[in-house]
Amino acid sequence: MLMKEEIESKVCIGKDMNKRKYYLLYTFIFIIMILVVFCLFIFNNKSFVWESDGLNQHYRALLYYSQWLKSIVKTLLVDHQLVIPTYSFSIGYGSDIITTLQYYAIGDPLNILAIFIPIKYMIYFYSILILVRFYLSGLTFSLFCYYKKDKYNYNSISMLIGSFVYAFCRYALYAGIRHPYFMNPMIYFPLVLLGEEKILDKRSTLLFILSVWLSAISNFYFFYMIAILTAMYVIWRLLTIYKKNYKNGLFMLGKITFYVFLGTCMAFVLLLPAILGLMNSARTDVSYIYNMFYTLSSYKSMLVYFYQLELVMIGHVWDMVLLH
C-alpha cells in the first residue's frame, strides 16, 4: 500500500510540486472551470457584451481605441510623423480623448492588442479578454502565494483552491463580465503585495514600483482602493516584523511610501489628466450631502452578504444569457 507521500508525488499535488507543474495544472483546471462556469454563454451562442454599459460604453470604447491606435501607427509609417490625436468631435459633442478613454480603454495594457484585431472580430476579442482577465487574476494570486509558500509552508493544492476562489469570486462573476476593466484591480493587487513583500525581504523594488504604476494608469477609481488596502497590509506586516523596533519600522514605511510616490508620478502622464478631467466635470459641480457613516441596516446587510451567497446576484449573470 502506497504511503501518503508516494501518492502525492504520483498525482503531482503537495508541497513538492514545482512551479512548472503547478502552473500547467492551474491552466488545465482553469480551462475546465471556464467551460463549466460559462457553459450557458457557449450553448446559447452569446458573447459577454452586456446590453447596457457593456455595449454602449465598454465595447464602443474598445472599438474607438482600436481605430485610434491604428491611426497613430498609420500616420507614423506613412507620413513619418508621430501624431497623437487628443480631441475628437465624434465623442458626444466633442471631448478629450485621453480623459474619456483612460477610464475605459487606454489605461489597460491588454487593450493595446486591439490594434491587431479587425472590427468584425472585435466582439470575440472583447469576450476573450474577459477570460484572460479571469486567468491573470488567479495567476497573480498564485504568484503571491508561491512567493510566501516556503515561509508559511503552503501546500500547492491549497494555493490552487485559493486561486480559483479568488478568480471566480462573486464580484468577478457579476461585475467582471458586465464591466471588464473591473477585473483589473484583482490582477494588480496581488502584484502590489508581492512587490511589497520583496521590499521587506530587501530584494528588488522594481516589481512594486511597476505594479503601483500599472494600477495608477489603469483606473484612478480602483487605484485609491488598492492604495488603502495595501497601506493596511503594510502596516500590519511592519508591526509583525519589527514589533518594538519602531525606528526601523518607520524607516521601512518611509521607504515603501517613497516607492509608491515614484510609481504614482510615473503614471501622471495618464493619471493627472484623468484627475483634472474629473475635477472639471459637470458632475462635480453638483452639491451632495455626504455622511461619514452608513445606516445601521446597511452594516447589517454587509455582514449578511459577507457570510451568505446572494443567489439573486449570481443568477442575474445567467439572466444576461437567457433573456438577451
Side-chain angles (χ1 to χ4, degrees):
M1 185 175 182
L2 293 174
M3 301 297 291
K4 179 181 177 182
E5 291 80 5
E6 295 175 339
I7 297 175
E8 286 187 344
S9 64
K10 287 183 178 296
V11 295
C12 296
I13 60 174
K15 300 177 182 178
D16 296 329
M17 184 189 299
N18 58 42
K19 286 187 178 182
R20 182 175 178 273
K21 291 180 179 179
Y22 176 87
Y23 292 121
L24 285 175
L25 182 59
Y26 169 79
T27 303
F28 176 73
I29 298 177
F30 178 83
I31 295 173
I32 296 176
M33 288 286 293
I34 287 297
L35 295 176
V36 173
V37 173
F38 300 116
C39 61
L40 289 180
F41 287 88
I42 299 172
F43 293 152
N44 290 276
N45 195 27
K46 299 294 183 179
S47 71
F48 291 140
V49 181
W50 182 33
E51 66 175 353
S52 181
D53 289 351
L55 178 61
N56 297 324
Q57 297 181 31
H58 311 313
Y59 181 66
R60 293 178 184 272
L62 185 62
L63 285 173
Y64 187 93
Y65 183 54
S66 175
Q67 296 302 307
W68 184 68
L69 290 176
K70 291 175 183 177
S71 67
I72 295 174
V73 174
K74 182 180 178 181
T75 305
L76 182 62
L77 296 178
V78 177
D79 300 332
H80 305 290
Q81 294 180 349
L82 179 60
V83 179
I84 302 177
T86 58
Y87 195 90
S88 174
F89 285 99
S90 64
I91 303 177
Y93 290 111
S95 181
D96 183 87
I97 296 175
I98 303 297
T99 56
T100 302
L101 293 187
Q102 189 273 344
Y103 189 76
Y104 295 102
I106 294 180
D108 188 350
L110 292 175
N111 288 333
I112 296 178
L113 297 174
I115 193 174
F116 304 108
I117 309 300
I119 293 179
K120 63 180 179 179
Y121 297 122
M122 194 62 68
I123 191 170
Y124 302 107
F125 177 72
Y126 180 93
S127 299
I128 290 173
L129 278 189
I130 290 179
L131 299 180
V132 170
R133 292 184 180 97
F134 273 90
Y135 179 81
L136 291 178
S137 63
L139 185 65
T140 56
F141 184 86
S142 295
L143 289 172
F144 174 69
C145 291
Y146 225 103
Y147 183 78
K148 300 172 72 67
K149 178 182 177 182
D150 294 334
K151 184 176 182 180
Y152 293 96
N153 198 26
Y154 288 157
N155 186 283
S156 295
I157 198 66
S158 301
M159 293 192 298
L160 273 174
I161 294 173
S163 297
F164 286 109
V165 170
Y166 178 78
F168 290 92
C169 66
R170 189 183 71 176
Y171 167 81
L173 291 174
Y174 181 69
I177 298 177
R178 285 185 160 203
H179 310 279
Y181 59 87
F182 277 29
M183 286 291 294
N184 290 345
M186 293 186 63
I187 301 173
Y188 305 147
F189 185 53
L191 293 178
V192 173
L193 296 186
L194 177 57
E196 175 267 335
E197 286 292 336
K198 288 190 174 184
I199 293 177
L200 293 179
D201 291 339
K202 296 179 173 58
R203 298 179 63 179
S204 174
T205 62
L206 182 61
L207 177 62
F208 183 74
I209 296 173
L210 291 180
S211 299
V212 172
W213 167 76
L214 193 58
S215 302
I217 66 168
S218 177
N219 193 303
F220 64 86
Y221 180 68
F222 292 113
F223 175 57
Y224 88 84
M225 298 181 186
I226 292 176
I228 293 175
L229 293 174
T230 302
M232 295 170 60
Y233 181 82
V234 168
I235 292 173
W236 173 75
R237 290 288 287 130
L238 291 176
L239 290 175
T240 57
I241 294 175
Y242 294 99
K243 297 179 180 179
K244 294 183 178 181
N245 194 347
Y246 300 116
K247 184 177 180 180
N248 290 341
L250 289 174
F251 175 78
M252 181 60 70
L253 179 62
K255 186 177 180 180
I256 294 175
T257 303
F258 170 76
Y259 293 131
V260 172
F261 176 76
L262 183 60
T264 305
C265 289
M266 289 169 55
F268 264 21
V269 64
L270 289 180
L271 182 61
L272 186 59
I275 294 176
L276 293 176
L278 175 67
M279 295 176 63
N280 294 322
S281 173
R283 292 186 177 185
T284 58
D285 294 334
V286 181
S287 299
Y288 291 97
I289 299 177
Y290 295 97
N291 295 318
M292 290 295 294
F293 302 97
Y294 294 109
T295 61
L296 182 61
S297 60
S298 298
Y299 288 109
K300 291 180 179 179
S301 298
M302 291 179 187
L303 292 175
V304 172
Y305 294 151
F306 184 79
Y307 290 105
Q308 178 180 343
L309 180 65
E310 190 181 7
L311 296 179
V312 175
M313 296 285 283
I314 292 296
H316 195 69
V317 174
W318 308 124
D319 290 344
M320 293 190 295
V321 177
L322 299 176
L323 298 180
H324 288 181

